[in-house]
Amino acid sequence: MKPLLLSLLLLIVPALPAAAQDWALGGFDAVAYARAGHPVPGRSDIVTMWKGKLWHFASEDNRARFEADPRAYAPGFNGLCPVSLSEGRREKGDPRHFIILDRKLYLLRSESAERQMRAAPKDVLSQAKRIWGKIR
């Protein structure tokens, strides 16, 4: 059943011009952040659907790891930038700017936000978590 669903998905996705909007992490491989240490583009033929988004992977192994425990690889705060949250704003993180803290991926809105996060990760996360608890 799963291969059939994947085959159908792969036939439908290229026909949808807005499909890229439904791509998690802009098409980057969520597992590769931790394994490679940098953003790695996923392949269009190695995908899975989770939480209404298409997640792309650079390898079958990475897809299997993600499918076994997607929450371990999905970005914190649903991909919102922790620096923005700590400042009281809901701003989407850019998958090219990230940090991994305590084995959790966080996306940052910009290079500047990435520098802020690296300079004071505990302070930023603490404040972001307080605000996140109020807006979820």
Side-chain angles (χ1 to χ4, degrees), residues 12-130:
I12 294 169
V13 170
L16 301 173
Q21 294 175 0
D22 294 333
W23 288 9
L25 302 176
F28 288 104
D29 182 332
V31 176
Y33 283 95
R35 297 188 80 203
H38 57 85
V40 174
R43 293 176 28 184
S44 63
D45 62 330
I46 306 177
V47 299
T48 196
M49 180 72 81
W50 185 66
K51 288 195 161 192
K53 300 260 185 205
L54 287 175
W55 297 74
H56 292 75
F57 302 93
S59 70
E60 294 285 349
D61 182 53
N62 282 4
R63 177 172 60 186
R65 287 173 186 266
F66 181 85
E67 288 177 338
D69 188 7
R71 285 177 176 78
Y73 298 101
F77 305 118
N78 288 337
L80 295 178
C81 174
V83 174
S84 295
L85 282 172
S86 73
E87 297 166 346
R89 295 189 327 275
R90 294 175 62 124
E91 194 169 335
K92 196 172 172 185
D94 181 331
R96 296 169 300 166
H97 301 286
F98 73 98
I99 189 169
I100 296 174
L101 297 170
D102 295 326
R103 298 188 301 168
K104 188 67 181 169
L105 171 66
Y106 297 97
L107 303 180
L108 292 307
R109 68 181 181 236
S110 64
E111 189 175 323
S112 172
E114 187 176 339
R115 282 193 303 272
Q116 277 183 265
M117 184 73 174
R118 292 188 187 284
K122 289 182 182 178
D123 294 338
V124 171
L125 271 185
S126 175
Q127 182 64 14
K129 285 177 183 176
R130 273 195 290 277

